[in-house]
Amino acid sequence: MLHGVVVKAYNGFYYVQSEKLLLSCKVRGRFKKERFTLMVGDEVRCSLTGHNEGLIEEILPRRSLLRRPTVANVDQVVITFAAANPDISTTLVDKLLVLAESSHLSALLCINKSDLADSEELSRIITIYAAIGYPVLLTSVKTGQGMAELRQRLIGRVTAFAGPSGAGKSSLLNAVEPGLTLVTGEVSAKIGRGRHTTRYAQLLPLSGGGFVVDTPGFSATEFTELDPACLGLCFPEIAGLAGGCKFSTCLHDREPQCAVKDAVQTRDVELSRYESYKAILQELRDTKKGY
Ligand code: GDP
Ligand code: ZN
């Protein structure tokens, strides 16, 4: 039996990467139900039935599930922004962090185009996110800064990139492993298969081990499934303080005796983070009644 990862699903075939072998597989008949839930990223065991052909015999338990694109077992999201051109929006950084947190994925922040950076503004942003526990990587495809560390962080993991178009996601990936490029929003729109590219993501194997999802991860417009009461849990520094609020149901908005608002006053919680929290809370309230 070979152990592998489903890297692509197409026309009833599942392409399973097992070490250096790429097998085109069918699913064993008795897996009637699983067949419909099997997805890219799933780890499987399969038997060889011919030259580069196999039969999926067992689907191993799933560790995580990313939606849009739908990929199982993603380990981490590299939230990628450019130091300049386009400028960083901390609101968008925070929204993408919330999406990663709410999917229980670990996140790291990659600030690319460091060669174009205004170092003062940049160190302010790095400080904000490093202080609340997110690894921050400063990279430049142009000068090579940070590339070795990025490469290191991808080894043996399944990684999705996320971030605005133009940040350099495709360029970064191509620098990590020449020949690999992401199917970006613009490209998929141009060739008129935007929906398909998000529905049928593929995993790209890295030569050092590990995989990258070929379409950028979630976009920041998909908060509808998040309960407003859970939003605070997606901000590590807010989650850590919520126990000190007078009301256990405190949403840290208009409630009195709120430990989070106190911490914003004393600057123990960064104002931009709290403002992102409130902006997202408002979005969630707009889509859900009763809050
Ligand atoms: P994506 O939309 O996030 O995939 O971004 P791309 O990889 O397509 O990059 C957008 C543009 O930024 C391209 O013109 C790249 O050549 C450029 N670019 C990417 N990385 C860097 C970098 O580190 N420094 C500079 N100066 N330009 C970069
Ligand atoms: Zn509170």
Side-chain angles (χ1 to χ4, degrees), residues 46-224:
C46 48
S47 52
L48 270 179
T49 55
H51 180 65
N52 290 340
E53 282 175 14
L55 196 57
I56 294 175
E57 307 272 3
E58 190 185 352
I59 303 163
L60 301 179
R62 203 173 273 162
R63 301 188 303 276
S64 71
L65 175 59
L66 179 66
R67 300 257 179 217
R68 283 167 295 216
T70 306
V71 184
N73 298 327
V74 171
D75 295 304
Q76 61 182 355
V77 185
V78 178
I79 296 180
T80 310
F81 278 79
N85 188 26
D87 284 345
I88 300 182
S89 148
T90 52
T91 313
L92 187 54
V93 172
D94 295 336
K95 284 184 173 181
L96 292 173
L97 285 172
V98 166
L99 284 165
E101 294 284 351
S102 64
S103 304
H104 308 288
L105 301 175
S106 65
L108 71 101
L109 194 57
C110 176
I111 303 176
N112 186 40
K113 304 195 190 181
S114 65
D115 54 291
L116 304 177
D118 165 347
S119 58
E120 213 170 284
E121 166 68 2
L122 206 56
S123 58
R124 193 184 67 83
I125 290 173
I126 291 171
T127 308
I128 294 175
Y129 293 96
I132 52 175
Y134 293 109
V136 184
L137 222 61
L138 205 56
T139 61
S140 169
V141 174
K142 218 165 182 176
T143 67
Q145 185 186 6
M147 294 309 302
E149 193 178 348
L150 178 61
R151 208 173 275 123
Q152 191 64 36
R153 284 186 176 271
L154 303 183
I155 292 175
R157 297 190 172 122
V158 180
T159 304
F161 281 76
S165 119
K169 300 179 293 297
S170 237
S171 310
L172 278 171
L173 188 56
N174 196 254
V176 163
E177 181 119 356
L180 296 188
T181 43
L182 294 175
V183 181
T184 63
E186 290 140 299
V187 172
S188 57
K190 238 181 263 165
I191 56 179
R193 38 182 276 234
R195 282 193 67 191
H196 286 234
T197 50
T198 49
R199 277 188 62 202
Y200 307 115
Q202 292 182 37
L203 292 185
L204 309 174
L206 299 168
S207 52
F211 297 90
V212 173
V213 181
D214 77 330
T215 50
F218 38 61
S219 65
T221 51
E222 296 159 355
F223 284 112
T224 43

